[in-house]
Amino acid sequence: EAQVTQNPRYLITVTGKKLTVTCSQNMNHEYMSWYRQDPGLGLRQIYYSMNVEVTDKGDVPEGYKVSRKEKRNFPLILESPSPNQTSLYFCASRSAGQGAYEQYFGPGTRLTVT
Amino acid sequence: AQSVTQPDIHITVSEGASLELRCNYSYGATPYLFWYVQSPGQGLQLLLKYFSGDTLVQGIKGFEAEFKRSQSSFNLRKPSVHWSDAAEYFCAVGPISTLGRLYFGRGTQLTVWP
Protein backbone atom coordinates (compact mmCIF):
# COMPACT_ATOMS: atom_id res chain seq x y z
CA GLU A 1 0.00 0.00 0.00
CA ALA A 2 1.33 3.42 -0.97
CA GLN A 3 1.77 5.50 2.15
CA VAL A 4 3.68 8.04 4.16
CA THR A 5 4.46 6.96 7.70
CA GLN A 6 5.50 9.06 10.66
CA ASN A 7 6.83 8.10 14.04
CA PRO A 8 6.04 8.68 16.75
CA ARG A 9 2.39 9.65 16.42
CA TYR A 10 2.33 11.29 19.84
CA LEU A 11 5.22 12.72 21.82
CA ILE A 12 5.46 14.67 25.06
CA THR A 13 8.88 16.03 25.88
CA VAL A 14 10.59 18.73 27.90
CA THR A 15 12.25 21.92 26.79
CA GLY A 16 15.74 21.42 25.43
CA LYS A 17 15.68 17.67 24.97
CA LYS A 18 16.64 16.86 21.39
CA LEU A 19 14.15 14.80 19.42
CA THR A 20 13.65 13.40 15.95
CA VAL A 21 10.41 12.70 14.16
CA THR A 22 10.84 10.20 11.37
CA CYS A 23 9.06 10.23 8.02
CA SER A 24 9.21 7.53 5.41
CA GLN A 25 7.46 7.04 2.07
CA ASN A 26 7.29 3.93 -0.08
CA MET A 27 6.31 5.58 -3.38
CA ASN A 28 9.81 6.53 -4.58
CA HIS A 29 8.81 10.19 -4.50
CA GLU A 30 11.40 12.88 -5.10
CA TYR A 31 9.75 15.68 -3.16
CA MET A 32 9.18 15.56 0.58
CA SER A 33 8.01 18.26 2.99
CA TRP A 34 7.33 18.95 6.62
CA TYR A 35 4.41 21.09 7.79
CA ARG A 36 3.17 22.20 11.14
CA GLN A 37 -0.49 22.81 11.87
CA ASP A 38 -1.62 25.27 14.50
CA PRO A 39 -5.20 26.32 15.28
CA GLY A 40 -6.31 29.23 13.13
CA LEU A 41 -3.10 29.20 11.09
CA GLY A 42 -3.64 26.23 8.82
CA LEU A 43 -0.59 24.30 7.69
CA ARG A 44 2.72 26.04 7.26
CA GLN A 45 5.71 24.54 5.55
CA ILE A 46 8.83 24.05 7.66
CA TYR A 47 11.28 22.49 5.21
CA TYR A 48 11.11 20.69 1.92
CA SER A 49 13.40 18.49 -0.10
CA MET A 50 13.53 18.07 -3.85
CA ASN A 51 15.72 14.99 -3.77
CA VAL A 52 18.49 13.29 -1.84
CA GLU A 53 20.83 15.84 -0.25
CA VAL A 54 18.72 18.75 -1.58
CA THR A 55 16.72 20.64 1.01
CA ASP A 56 15.40 24.17 1.41
CA LYS A 57 13.64 26.27 4.01
CA GLY A 58 9.92 26.74 4.01
CA ASP A 59 8.04 29.48 5.77
CA VAL A 60 8.78 28.60 9.40
CA PRO A 61 12.18 26.84 9.55
CA GLU A 62 13.51 28.36 12.78
CA GLY A 63 14.29 25.76 15.43
CA TYR A 64 14.16 22.82 13.03
CA LYS A 65 16.65 20.81 11.00
CA VAL A 66 16.14 18.19 8.34
CA SER A 67 18.25 15.77 6.38
CA ARG A 68 17.66 13.71 3.24
CA LYS A 69 20.28 11.00 3.06
CA GLU A 70 17.97 8.46 1.49
CA LYS A 71 15.17 9.04 -0.94
CA ARG A 72 12.51 7.39 1.21
CA ASN A 73 13.32 9.12 4.53
CA PHE A 74 13.06 12.74 5.62
CA PRO A 75 13.48 13.11 9.39
CA LEU A 76 12.63 16.31 11.24
CA ILE A 77 15.04 17.22 14.02
CA LEU A 78 14.40 19.56 16.91
CA GLU A 79 17.78 20.19 18.50
CA SER A 80 16.42 22.14 21.48
CA PRO A 81 12.63 22.02 21.52
CA SER A 82 10.71 24.90 23.06
CA PRO A 83 7.04 25.18 24.08
CA ASN A 84 6.23 27.24 20.97
CA GLN A 85 7.02 24.14 18.91
CA THR A 86 4.06 22.34 20.44
CA SER A 87 2.05 21.54 17.35
CA LEU A 88 0.71 18.91 14.99
CA TYR A 89 3.29 17.95 12.39
CA PHE A 90 2.68 16.45 8.98
CA CYS A 91 5.10 14.94 6.53
CA ALA A 92 4.18 14.83 2.84
CA SER A 93 5.63 13.55 -0.39
CA ARG A 94 4.96 13.83 -4.11
CA SER A 95 6.46 12.66 -7.32
CA ALA A 96 8.45 14.90 -9.63
CA GLY A 97 6.85 13.21 -12.60
CA GLN A 98 4.92 15.22 -15.16
CA GLY A 99 1.34 15.67 -14.01
CA ALA A 100 2.01 14.17 -10.59
CA TYR A 101 1.30 17.22 -8.50
CA GLU A 102 -0.67 15.71 -5.67
CA GLN A 103 0.95 15.56 -2.26
CA TYR A 104 0.43 12.56 -0.02
CA PHE A 105 0.31 13.24 3.68
CA GLY A 106 1.31 11.15 6.64
CA PRO A 107 -1.03 10.65 9.62
CA GLY A 108 0.55 13.42 11.70
CA THR A 109 2.66 13.63 14.86
CA ARG A 110 1.26 15.52 17.82
CA LEU A 111 4.13 17.04 19.77
CA THR A 112 3.85 18.66 23.18
CA VAL A 113 6.85 20.48 24.65
CA THR A 114 6.56 21.36 28.34
CA ALA B 1 4.14 36.67 -1.94
CA GLN B 2 1.79 33.82 -2.47
CA SER B 3 -1.23 33.71 -0.19
CA VAL B 4 -4.37 31.67 0.21
CA THR B 5 -7.43 33.16 1.86
CA GLN B 6 -10.34 31.27 3.29
CA PRO B 7 -12.59 34.09 4.51
CA ASP B 8 -14.89 31.93 6.60
CA ILE B 9 -13.37 30.56 9.77
CA HIS B 10 -16.48 28.68 10.79
CA ILE B 11 -19.64 27.74 8.88
CA THR B 12 -22.73 26.04 10.24
CA VAL B 13 -25.29 24.41 7.96
CA SER B 14 -28.23 22.09 8.44
CA GLU B 15 -28.05 18.57 7.15
CA GLY B 16 -29.37 18.46 3.60
CA ALA B 17 -28.59 22.09 2.90
CA SER B 18 -26.18 23.18 0.21
CA LEU B 19 -22.66 24.26 1.02
CA GLU B 20 -20.11 26.60 -0.48
CA LEU B 21 -16.68 27.18 1.04
CA ARG B 22 -14.72 30.05 -0.36
CA CYS B 23 -11.06 30.16 -1.33
CA ASN B 24 -9.10 32.97 -2.95
CA TYR B 25 -5.43 32.93 -3.84
CA SER B 26 -2.88 35.49 -4.73
CA TYR B 27 -0.38 34.47 -7.34
CA GLY B 28 0.83 35.76 -10.69
CA ALA B 29 0.03 32.67 -12.71
CA THR B 30 -2.52 29.91 -12.43
CA PRO B 31 -1.26 27.50 -9.82
CA TYR B 32 -2.33 24.01 -9.01
CA LEU B 33 -5.31 24.06 -6.65
CA PHE B 34 -6.43 21.57 -4.04
CA TRP B 35 -9.05 21.07 -1.36
CA TYR B 36 -8.27 18.86 1.61
CA VAL B 37 -10.51 17.72 4.44
CA GLN B 38 -9.45 16.90 7.97
CA SER B 39 -11.82 15.06 10.26
CA PRO B 40 -11.29 15.41 14.01
CA GLY B 41 -8.08 13.71 15.07
CA GLN B 42 -7.34 12.60 11.54
CA GLY B 43 -4.85 13.43 8.84
CA LEU B 44 -5.50 15.23 5.58
CA GLN B 45 -7.54 13.69 2.83
CA LEU B 46 -7.53 15.08 -0.69
CA LEU B 47 -11.04 15.97 -1.87
CA LEU B 48 -10.23 17.25 -5.32
CA LYS B 49 -7.64 19.03 -7.42
CA TYR B 50 -7.36 21.32 -10.41
CA PHE B 51 -4.39 21.44 -12.73
CA SER B 52 -5.82 22.55 -16.07
CA GLY B 53 -8.74 22.03 -18.42
CA ASP B 54 -12.37 22.00 -17.33
CA THR B 55 -12.79 24.59 -14.60
CA LEU B 56 -15.44 22.55 -12.78
CA VAL B 57 -13.83 19.58 -11.08
CA GLN B 58 -15.50 16.71 -9.32
CA GLY B 59 -14.09 15.14 -6.20
CA ILE B 60 -14.85 12.46 -3.69
CA LYS B 61 -17.80 12.41 -1.30
CA GLY B 62 -19.99 14.41 -3.71
CA PHE B 63 -17.88 17.57 -3.60
CA GLU B 64 -17.07 19.77 -6.55
CA ALA B 65 -15.08 22.96 -7.01
CA GLU B 66 -15.02 25.65 -9.64
CA PHE B 67 -11.91 27.53 -10.69
CA LYS B 68 -12.55 31.13 -11.71
CA ARG B 69 -9.44 32.71 -13.10
CA SER B 70 -10.88 36.24 -13.20
CA GLN B 71 -11.66 36.07 -9.48
CA SER B 72 -8.61 34.00 -8.44
CA SER B 73 -11.03 31.73 -6.66
CA PHE B 74 -11.49 28.01 -6.19
CA ASN B 75 -14.69 27.56 -4.19
CA LEU B 76 -15.79 24.20 -2.91
CA ARG B 77 -19.44 23.16 -3.15
CA LYS B 78 -21.74 20.35 -2.19
CA PRO B 79 -25.45 20.32 -3.05
CA SER B 80 -26.60 18.43 0.05
CA VAL B 81 -24.50 18.19 3.18
CA HIS B 82 -24.41 15.07 5.35
CA TRP B 83 -23.66 15.04 9.08
CA SER B 84 -20.45 13.12 8.31
CA ASP B 85 -19.16 16.12 6.36
CA ALA B 86 -18.49 17.98 9.61
CA ALA B 87 -14.74 18.59 9.52
CA GLU B 88 -12.15 21.23 8.77
CA TYR B 89 -11.53 22.09 5.14
CA PHE B 90 -8.33 23.46 3.73
CA CYS B 91 -7.71 25.08 0.40
CA ALA B 92 -4.14 24.72 -0.87
CA VAL B 93 -2.21 26.24 -3.71
CA GLY B 94 0.87 24.85 -5.38
CA PRO B 95 2.48 27.42 -7.62
CA ILE B 96 3.91 25.79 -10.69
CA SER B 97 7.31 27.36 -10.23
CA THR B 98 7.79 26.10 -6.69
CA LEU B 99 7.39 22.42 -7.43
CA GLY B 100 7.39 20.79 -4.02
CA ARG B 101 5.86 23.65 -2.09
CA LEU B 102 2.24 23.92 -1.09
CA TYR B 103 0.56 26.92 0.53
CA PHE B 104 -2.48 26.39 2.71
CA GLY B 105 -5.33 28.59 3.77
CA ARG B 106 -6.16 28.80 7.46
CA GLY B 107 -9.05 26.43 7.13
CA THR B 108 -12.83 26.55 7.47
CA GLN B 109 -14.47 24.56 10.24
CA LEU B 110 -17.79 23.08 9.12
CA THR B 111 -20.48 22.22 11.65
CA VAL B 112 -23.54 20.30 10.48
CA TRP B 113 -26.80 20.50 12.43
CA PRO B 114 -29.05 17.43 12.30
Side-chain angles (χ1 to χ4, degrees):
Chain A
E1 178 190 355
Q3 60 182 354
V4 179
T5 57
Q6 297 178 224
N7 282 292
R9 295 288 313 280
Y10 302 90
L11 179 60
I12 301 174
T13 189
V14 296
T15 299
K17 185 176 181 181
K18 180 179 179 179
L19 66 91
T20 299
V21 183
T22 65
C23 172
S24 183
Q25 49 93 6
N26 62 1
M27 296 168 278
N28 202 38
H29 284 169
E30 288 76 18
Y31 299 129
M32 297 187 74
S33 298
W34 276 103
Y35 298 85
R36 61 177 289 173
Q37 183 183 10
D38 302 289
L41 297 178
L43 282 83
R44 294 175 293 169
Q45 194 170 49
I46 303 170
Y47 269 96
Y48 63 103
S49 170
M50 290 152 281
N51 215 322
V52 175
E53 303 290 2
V54 183
T55 63
D56 204 353
K57 296 177 180 178
D59 298 314
V60 287
E62 293 77 21
Y64 304 94
K65 287 176 58 178
V66 293
S67 68
R68 187 93 181 272
K69 293 182 170 55
E70 303 168 283
K71 196 172 186 179
R72 64 183 292 123
N73 297 322
F74 190 44
L76 180 69
I77 303 158
L78 285 72
E79 294 269 1
S80 183
S82 62
N84 64 12
Q85 293 178 297
T86 293
S87 188
L88 179 59
Y89 292 86
F90 288 100
C91 180
S93 73
R94 61 156 278 213
S95 170
Q98 184 68 23
Y101 308 117
E102 176 182 340
Q103 292 211 10
Y104 295 80
F105 284 85
T109 295
R110 186 166 294 282
L111 172 65
T112 301
V113 183
T114 61
Chain B
Q2 296 87 354
S3 68
V4 183
T5 302
Q6 292 181 247
D8 304 304
I9 298 173
H10 195 175
I11 285 182
T12 300
V13 299
S14 298
E15 191 169 19
S18 64
L19 172 70
E20 183 171 31
L21 303 182
R22 296 180 291 165
C23 174
N24 293 93
Y25 65 90
S26 171
Y27 186 65
T30 300
Y32 306 128
L33 300 160
F34 307 86
W35 274 99
Y36 286 87
V37 61
Q38 185 179 31
S39 298
Q42 302 298 310
L44 291 159
Q45 182 180 22
L46 181 68
L47 283 176
L48 45 76
K49 58 195 174 189
Y50 173 79
F51 300 147
S52 64
D54 192 346
T55 57
L56 184 64
V57 294
Q58 302 297 320
I60 62 171
K61 304 185 179 186
F63 285 92
E64 65 178 26
E66 185 173 13
F67 168 59
K68 293 186 176 180
R69 185 190 307 273
S70 61
Q71 299 176 18
S72 297
S73 69
F74 189 55
N75 294 348
L76 181 71
R77 300 195 294 249
K78 187 170 185 178
S80 178
V81 171
H82 188 262
W83 63 266
S84 61
D85 293 325
E88 190 158 23
Y89 292 79
F90 293 95
C91 179
V93 167
I96 296 171
S97 63
T98 59
L99 300 174
R101 299 204 61 175
L102 205 59
Y103 296 88
F104 282 83
R106 296 190 176 195
T108 297
Q109 183 69 46
L110 175 65
T111 298
V112 180
W113 288 100

